[in-house]
Amino acid sequence: MSSRVLRVAKRVLVGLVILAVVLSLVVAAGRYRSEQANRTVQVALDFGQVSLLSRALGVPRAELLASLREAGAGAILVKEPLVSELDGELLWGIYPVWLRLGRELAAAPYLEPEAAAQLRPDYSYLVFDAPRVAEEVAAQLGRRLPGGSVRLLPAGEFSLVELSWTKSDLSALKVGIGLAGFPWEEVERAGVKVIPQLRPWPAADAASVRATLEELYPHRDDLSALAFDGDRVPGYPRFVSDLGRGVQELDVPVAIIEFTQQQGLASLVKLTGKRAVRLHSIRAEEAETLSPAQAVARFGLAAGERNVRILVVRFALAAEGGMASSDAAASARRYLEFLKEGLAAQGLAPGDPRPFTPFPLPGALFGLIGLGAWAAAVLLLRELGLRGRMLIGLSALGLAGYLLLLRADSVLARQAAAAVAAISFPTLGVLLWRREEPCSVPQALGRFAVTAALSLVGAALVVGLLGEVGFMLAVDQFLGTKVAHLAPPVLVAAALWGPGSREELRRRLASPVSWLALVALVVLALAGYVYLMRTGNEGTAFVSSWERALRQYLDQLLLVRPRTKEFLLGHPLLLLSYRLGRPRRYWLLWAAGSIGQASVVNTFAHVHTPLAVSLLRTAHGLWLGAIAGLILICLLEGYRRHRARRGGTEGGICTPEKP
């Protein structure tokens, strides 16, 4: 292939990248507008906890709810109770209900003889003193419990719901009773919204799913979102479409509970037009171990950095005298006010949660952006040493595969193209400067800036390919996070340390392996494992206490903390690598330096993080990493000069070494 053809091909590839960047900025603008228009966050309370606190303090629940609403609470989360949870409990705190076996009720003094005569010893019975609630519960359980009988029995002043299961059977089934008896009017008077949390049930079908949602239709104006409990949504897998139609008729957003996997939820969100909001909660047992400042910081990160729009607050009621303490209500109000101030400091306002405004774009636009990722991959293959037929064949195969996948599954094709961009650009940016000769500090800074710019080009393509509400809600996600973090340093190491010819490869394969090399390989493998385990939003493994403290300090100081792997590892080492040159000798240093660039691109792959936050995080990482790199260069420079003086000569990093 002539040099002229190669130059033309390279210009075409660069042109495709430039076009992809321009189109990606169009997508980014739509996403940014959608994010800026959605700045309201709702603070929700646990209704069961509020009921317990109300009874312990002797304060009417409506009065307590109104007081907490004034302090910042806007809703309550209501989890429907399980049948097995009703043993000796009070349903919603107003209607007594008991779960008893027939033999336990046979001698109950409050049952009339006729009712007692109908009891079956091994059957379970729900005992109500509210006939209307008993009728509603019997109807719900009749649709939900599989392969048995549910019967409503009058018992004088009481009503019995007969269940042909033992208590242990009911506990294993984990069936909820719906929201029968819930005090809607009381909550409405208090001025707060309701977030029902429905449970799945074993015998879910189209009729039972529809009936469960119909129970909520009269109260749709009082709802702010609909959440689900358990590992799947009701009706999964066969009747999710029926659930979707019911939710659309209910006309409320679906709550996506952060860090919780629920089968069928992603399908439900897509069926409802992606009308969903993200929810973060602190469990009651966690609330007991966190200070208000720690909890508020955690909520602030969720709302400000992960687009969470519902925060479920639970109070530490076991501490400081417990619920009966006269200061318990005042402490709860102070906590809510503290949280409201923390959210306001981030520009977030209290209000009902709203789904993101869609910004539909033509599918061809995403296809063209994907071509930019393909072009970068071709340039990388050439940089890695591929030439001639091998390069042409792999490039053609990649292009054909992308176009076929784009036609079959557009979302999957975009995810694949985003992964290619996340690998190609940071690797290209580092390999672009593999020069043998050392360079000056200003030159090293210039090379670092160009490398970072290429990584940001890759980030732009990732933003363009994944710029859609589904990715912002994390129901669709970037694929290959671990690979995108690991591939750039591996490819850089392979390009710099790898054999330059077949003869050299044969020589290396034939040479004996030393114990030192084996130990080094094990150390590298362990380092890679630790590195991968620390990636992602949930990558908290191997994070020391001092690093947690540093993260918290940087969050407070900079509003958005940079990633540790960027400003303390990757960026400084890359700057030092450029200063030292000799990439074949310092290949491990160059490979470690590429970690920061891979992290830059992967930061923008977290599409549920607001775009402005990702930009600020990256900027902080770059300037802090550059400073850390300059300090590292100065330290090494001083050390080399010190060694040179002891040897009787003056020298620095760029001083030629003795053979």
Side-chain angles (χ1 to χ4, degrees):
M1 188 178 294
S2 67
S3 58
R4 181 179 179 182
V5 173
L6 288 175
R7 286 196 300 271
V8 171
K10 187 174 181 180
R11 288 172 183 171
V12 170
L13 294 173
V14 172
L16 286 175
V17 172
I18 294 173
L19 175 62
V21 171
V22 173
L23 297 178
S24 295
L25 293 177
V26 173
V27 179
R31 172 182 157 189
Y32 179 77
R33 287 193 296 269
S34 181
E35 289 173 342
Q36 291 303 112
N38 190 339
R39 304 292 291 172
T40 58
V41 177
Q42 187 172 71
V43 175
L45 307 177
D46 185 294
F47 186 67
Q49 196 178 56
V50 171
S51 297
L52 291 173
L53 184 59
S54 169
R55 288 201 296 271
L57 296 176
V59 177
R61 185 169 47 206
E63 180 181 328
L64 178 61
L65 270 175
S67 174
L68 297 176
R69 177 185 58 78
E70 292 176 359
I76 52 170
L77 178 71
V78 183
K79 182 183 294 187
E80 67 168 302
L82 296 172
V83 175
S84 55
E85 292 176 340
L86 300 177
D87 194 3
E89 296 292 334
L90 294 178
L91 177 59
W92 312 127
I94 54 173
Y95 295 110
V97 57
W98 300 270
L99 175 63
R100 297 289 185 267
L101 287 173
R103 66 172 67 94
E104 295 172 335
L105 285 176
Y110 51 81
L111 289 186
E112 297 179 352
E114 295 80 3
Q118 300 181 63
L119 301 178
R120 302 187 183 187
D122 294 328
Y123 280 19
S124 299
Y125 292 85
L126 295 174
V127 184
F128 295 87
D129 69 350
R132 180 184 61 83
V133 178
E135 291 175 7
E136 294 178 9
V137 170
Q140 284 287 7
L141 293 180
R143 289 184 287 262
R144 294 184 176 193
L145 285 169
S149 64
V150 177
R151 192 165 56 131
L152 182 64
L153 303 176
E157 297 180 3
F158 297 89
S159 294
L160 304 181
V161 176
E162 181 185 80
L163 310 173
S164 59
W165 291 268
T166 64
K167 286 184 181 180
S168 59
D169 292 336
L170 292 173
S171 179
L173 287 172
K174 295 183 178 179
V175 174
I177 66 169
L179 301 186
F182 181 74
W184 293 99
E185 294 181 0
E186 177 184 311
V187 172
E188 184 179 355
R189 287 197 305 271
V192 295
K193 293 295 184 69
V194 179
I195 305 172
Q197 189 171 13
L198 304 180
R199 301 178 184 269
W201 57 93
D205 55 16
S208 61
V209 166
R210 184 170 57 252
T212 296
L213 294 179
E214 285 176 352
E215 184 182 43
L216 299 174
Y217 288 165
H219 311 287
R220 69 184 76 194
D221 293 337
D222 300 322
L223 306 181
S224 62
L226 178 65
F228 300 96
D229 189 39
D231 61 356
R232 64 190 188 280
V233 299
Y236 177 84
R238 294 177 56 194
F239 303 102
V240 176
S241 58
D242 298 279
L243 180 65
R245 285 190 290 270
V247 172
Q248 283 184 306
E249 188 172 345
L250 194 59
D251 196 28
V252 294
V254 174
I256 302 171
I257 303 174
E258 200 175 27
F259 308 129
T260 300
Q261 297 296 323
Q262 293 180 316
Q263 294 176 305
L265 183 65
S267 299
L268 174 63
V269 170
K270 293 174 183 179
L271 286 169
T272 58
K274 299 175 185 175
R275 294 194 68 245
V277 291
R278 288 165 57 80
L279 179 151
H280 182 83
S281 69
I282 295 180
R283 299 191 304 270
E285 55 269 26
E286 289 182 283
E288 301 292 344
T289 64
L290 298 175
S291 68
Q294 290 173 321
V296 168
R298 176 166 156 179
F299 281 131
L301 285 175
E305 297 192 13
R306 300 197 299 274
N307 278 330
V308 170
R309 291 299 174 258
I310 299 177
L311 304 174
V312 180
V313 171
R314 292 182 175 90
F315 305 116
L317 298 180
E320 300 180 4
M323 292 182 293
S325 169
S326 59
D327 192 44
S331 296
R333 286 194 297 271
R334 286 195 298 270
Y335 180 7
L336 293 173
E337 290 167 353
F338 186 25
L339 175 57
K340 183 167 63 173
E341 292 171 1
L343 295 174
Q346 299 187 66
L348 300 169
D352 291 342
R354 298 198 307 269
F356 284 110
T357 304
F359 46 100
L361 296 164
L365 181 144
F366 295 112
L368 290 172
I369 297 174
L371 289 180
W374 168 80
V378 175
L379 292 171
L380 176 60
L381 291 175
R382 190 173 186 279
E383 192 68 29
L384 291 174
L386 270 70
R387 296 290 188 274
R389 294 179 180 177
M390 179 66 73
L391 177 61
I392 295 173
L394 286 178
S395 301
L397 184 63
L399 179 59
Y402 170 67
L403 294 176
L404 288 173
L405 187 58
L406 189 66
R407 184 177 181 85
D409 189 334
S410 172
V411 172
L412 183 59
R414 288 157 54 191
Q415 290 169 320
V420 170
I423 294 170
S424 300
F425 283 98
T427 309
L428 271 171
V430 174
L431 294 180
L432 181 67
W433 302 110
R434 47 178 170 178
R435 306 285 194 273
E436 282 299 320
E437 70 281 359
C439 68
S440 65
V441 172
Q443 286 176 322
L445 286 171
R447 293 178 180 181
F448 177 73
V450 172
T451 301
L454 277 174
S455 296
L456 288 173
V457 168
L461 264 64
V462 170
V463 169
L465 287 163
L466 307 182
E468 196 178 36
V469 171
F471 289 98
M472 294 164 67
L473 293 170
V475 293
D476 291 318
Q477 297 191 38
F478 173 67
L479 297 180
T481 299
K482 305 294 185 184
V483 174
H485 275 284
L486 186 61
V490 169
L491 290 173
V492 168
L496 300 182
W497 180 79
S501 64
R502 292 182 180 180
E503 290 72 19
E504 186 177 356
L505 176 61
R506 292 193 190 99
R507 181 179 59 80
R508 290 190 181 184
L509 291 176
S511 62
V513 179
S514 66
W515 284 104
L516 181 61
L518 288 175
V519 171
L521 183 62
V522 171
V523 171
L524 284 174
L526 289 174
Y529 174 76
V530 172
Y531 168 57
L532 288 180
M533 290 301 101
R534 287 168 53 95
T535 59
N537 278 332
E538 298 180 70
T540 57
F542 305 103
V543 179
S544 62
S545 57
W546 71 265
E547 188 177 345
R548 293 181 191 276
L550 176 63
R551 290 179 176 187
Q552 186 173 0
Y553 174 74
L554 290 175
D555 273 323
Q556 295 172 350
L557 181 66
L558 302 174
L559 298 181
V560 177
R561 68 169 179 85
R563 301 207 181 280
T564 308
K565 66 175 73 71
E566 294 179 23
F567 81 96
L568 283 183
L569 178 65
H571 296 342
L573 292 182
L574 187 61
L575 196 57
L576 178 62
S577 299
Y578 289 158
R579 175 79 164 113
L580 291 173
R582 301 185 180 92
R584 288 185 65 82
R585 178 173 183 174
Y586 300 117
W587 64 270
L588 187 57
L589 195 65
W590 282 65
S594 68
I595 287 174
Q597 301 306 310
S599 179
V600 166
V601 183
N602 276 270
T603 291
F604 291 86
H606 298 285
V607 187
H608 59 277
T609 298
L611 192 56
V613 171
S614 295
L615 286 168
L616 186 56
R617 188 190 307 283
T618 300
H620 284 325
L622 288 172
W623 72 264
L624 281 173
I627 291 175
L630 292 175
I631 293 173
L632 186 60
I633 289 173
C634 288
L635 290 174
L636 188 58
E637 177 84 16
Y639 173 71
R640 297 282 284 271
R641 289 185 184 278
H642 173 69
R643 286 189 60 188
R645 283 195 297 269
R646 291 186 62 182
T649 61
E650 292 291 327
I653 290 178
C654 297
T655 302
E657 297 181 359
K658 295 179 180 180

